[in-house]
Amino acid sequence: MNKRSVRDLDVSGKRVLVRVDFNVPVKNGEVTDDTRIRRALPTIRYLLEKGARPILISHLGRPKGEPDPRYTMGPVAKRLEELLGAPVLKLDAAVGPEVEKALKNPGEGVALLENSRFYPGETKNDPAFAEQFATLADLYVDDAFGAAHRAHATTVGVAERLPAAAGLLVEDEIDYLDKVLSEPERPFVAILGGAKVSDKVGVIESLLRVADTLLIGGAMCFTFFMAQGFEVGKSLVEDEYTEEAGRLMNEAGERLVLPVDIVVAERMEEDATSQIVRVDEIPEGTMGLDVGPETVERFGEHIAGAKTVFWNGPMGVFEMDAFAKGTEGVARAVAESGATSIVGGGDSVAAVTKLGLEDEMSHISTGGGASLEYIEGKELPGIAVLPNKEDA
Ligand code: ADP
Ligand code: MG
């Protein structure tokens, strides 16, 4: 990427405020999935090796702009200590005199500030709040790709007030997505699924500009079937997008590939009786909950021939074993393809992780919303605010 990197900064002996994405699931005081913490380790370790003091800031959950013990960073600090094998100084606030005092001397090791969303100024990108962060450090590094699409005090405000750069994770994320968007090795097969077409119209359009083939599964395929005049029963559809779906199909021609068979059931329940039907024969009173085996096979053929794969959105209701086969089949095909594979999206990543296939993918994006907005061609405020390399 052409943004200034943490590697371009002279960090030795400096206090470096690092915006990380430690928005992890916590249950009974324990972090239940530490993926995001682990993904921040390279930048943290780099800073420690260079003799800098990393001061970490993140949001966690959705507290309402005030302290809420349910969303404390305590469990994160504990997990981070285990992963780093070194003590972490966990502070009880994110800003203020106590924090300033504790961080005044350069000190050693990692410090972790309390949840940035314990303050109303975070999501408002309040200048005075951002200024308080700027007084804590000499430099700012953004390593929170998952928060880059938000213009908040800890992603944008403070970046405007300190010499700023991208962290190693953000660099990695942007480099992979740029490669997909501008110079994918071909054939480039994009796979889209998930719940809603409306969420992803922009992503479909953007991918159709660069991909050789776009495979569409998940609930969004039913809006496309409606556009073709098929009955879709009780399947999840968005009537107001059928015209749009028809237009996209016309534009894309053979490059847009839809399922040929569907797993349907009367109810979205694990034990509901299901059957496999052709897409133009969905029985009244049933809903499509997964793509069928023939679809998995056809999608698999496209994927096997690909050199680059971008995947967002499960092929069905993968949370229930009865409707997880489509997603599993596609995940295995991607894993076996040998293609450069990029998986983005919270649920898609959860599906890949559940199958234990995360190590088989070239890149798993930590930014669900952020990666989709980037693919759509939207500017991410947290990235845009960082200086370009040539300005450095
Ligand atoms: P991601 O988080 O990877 O971007 P989405 O949030 O767009 O993915 O979609 C994931 C959700 O889509 C899952 O909860 C899954 O159950 C749901 N889904 C997929 N296929 C269907 C379907 N046929 N009917 C209803 N829901 C579906
Ligand atoms: Mg999701």
Side-chain angles (χ1 to χ4, degrees), residues 193-196 199-200 218-219 222 236 268 288-290 312-319 344-348 372:
K196 292 186 185 162
D199 280 352
K200 294 178 184 171
F222 301 109
L236 196 62
M268 195 192 289
L289 296 171
D290 195 11
N312 167 269
M315 295 291 102
V317 183
F318 75 99
E319 295 93 335
D347 293 291
S348 322
L372 290 183

Side-chain angles (χ1 to χ4, degrees), residues 93-348:
V95 291
E98 290 298 314
V99 176
E100 281 165 37
K101 214 172 94 193
L103 299 175
K104 200 166 203 100
N105 299 316
E108 288 213 334
V110 177
L112 174 63
L113 302 175
E114 191 44 279
N115 195 334
S116 63
R117 289 208 195 158
F118 282 1
Y119 304 80
E122 165 69 330
T123 53
K124 290 187 193 128
N125 190 12
D126 175 56
F129 185 55
E131 189 57 43
Q132 283 187 287
F133 283 108
T135 61
L136 295 179
D138 309 301
L139 302 167
Y140 171 81
V141 167
D142 180 11
D143 216 21
F145 185 64
H149 56 320
R150 309 270 182 238
H152 292 171
T154 61
T155 59
V156 169
V158 66
E160 292 167 339
R161 290 172 167 80
L162 285 174
L168 302 176
L169 173 60
V170 160
E171 265 192 294
D172 204 32
E173 296 266 15
I174 297 282
D175 284 345
Y176 267 103
L177 292 174
D178 279 347
K179 186 157 184 265
V180 162
L181 290 173
S182 56
E183 47 181 40
E185 223 189 311
R186 297 186 181 278
F188 170 24
V189 175
I191 312 162
L192 276 185
K196 292 186 185 162
V197 185
S198 50
D199 280 352
K200 294 178 184 171
V201 171
V203 178
I204 297 175
E205 290 200 330
S206 187
L207 286 172
L208 279 175
R209 280 195 285 274
V210 287
D212 298 294
T213 306
L214 178 58
L215 311 175
I216 293 195
M220 70 162 72
C221 69
F222 301 109
T223 304
F224 286 88
F225 292 142
M226 283 229 341
Q228 287 174 280
F230 299 164
E231 298 292 337
V232 297
K234 292 193 293 184
S235 305
L236 196 62
V237 284
E238 290 170 282
D239 293 335
E240 61 288 16
Y241 280 90
T242 46
E243 228 171 272
E244 186 80 13
R247 184 182 65 76
L248 289 167
M249 271 178 359
N250 280 337
E251 264 177 38
E254 284 182 356
R255 291 190 301 133
L256 195 149
V257 180
L258 290 165
V260 289
D261 56 349
I262 291 288
V263 180
V264 300
E266 280 174 23
R267 294 166 288 121
M268 195 192 289
E269 280 164 38
E270 183 70 81
D271 60 354
T273 316
S274 64
Q275 54 174 319
I276 298 158
V277 299
R278 312 306 297 173
V279 293
D280 55 354
E281 292 171 359
I282 295 176
E284 209 186 312
T286 69
M287 59 180 87
L289 296 171
D290 195 11
V291 298
E294 196 180 323
T295 301
V296 171
E297 209 178 302
R298 289 198 185 189
F299 281 13
E301 283 164 15
H302 285 285
I303 295 164
K307 286 274 194 310
T308 306
V309 173
F310 174 81
W311 180 18
N312 167 269
M315 295 291 102
V317 183
F318 75 99
E319 295 93 335
M320 298 180 189
D321 287 343
F323 311 111
K325 291 193 191 70
T327 303
E328 176 170 357
V330 163
R332 295 208 184 282
V334 175
E336 284 160 19
S337 66
T340 300
S341 49
I342 295 114
V343 183
D347 293 291
S348 322

Side-chain angles (χ1 to χ4, degrees), residues 39-95:
R39 296 293 290 274
L41 294 177
T43 296
I44 298 169
R45 290 203 172 110
Y46 174 87
L47 289 169
L48 290 172
E49 276 162 25
K50 295 283 173 190
R53 165 155 237 205
I55 302 168
L56 311 179
I57 179 72
S58 176
H59 76 285
L60 173 64
R62 292 175 183 266
K64 303 219 154 29
E66 57 185 36
D68 180 335
R70 287 176 300 168
Y71 300 112
T72 172
M73 285 289 169
V76 173
K78 200 173 117 210
R79 189 74 195 105
L80 180 60
E81 282 192 338
E82 290 164 5
L83 289 167
L84 277 173
V88 169
L89 175 67
K90 151 77 175 61
L91 296 163
D92 293 328
V95 291

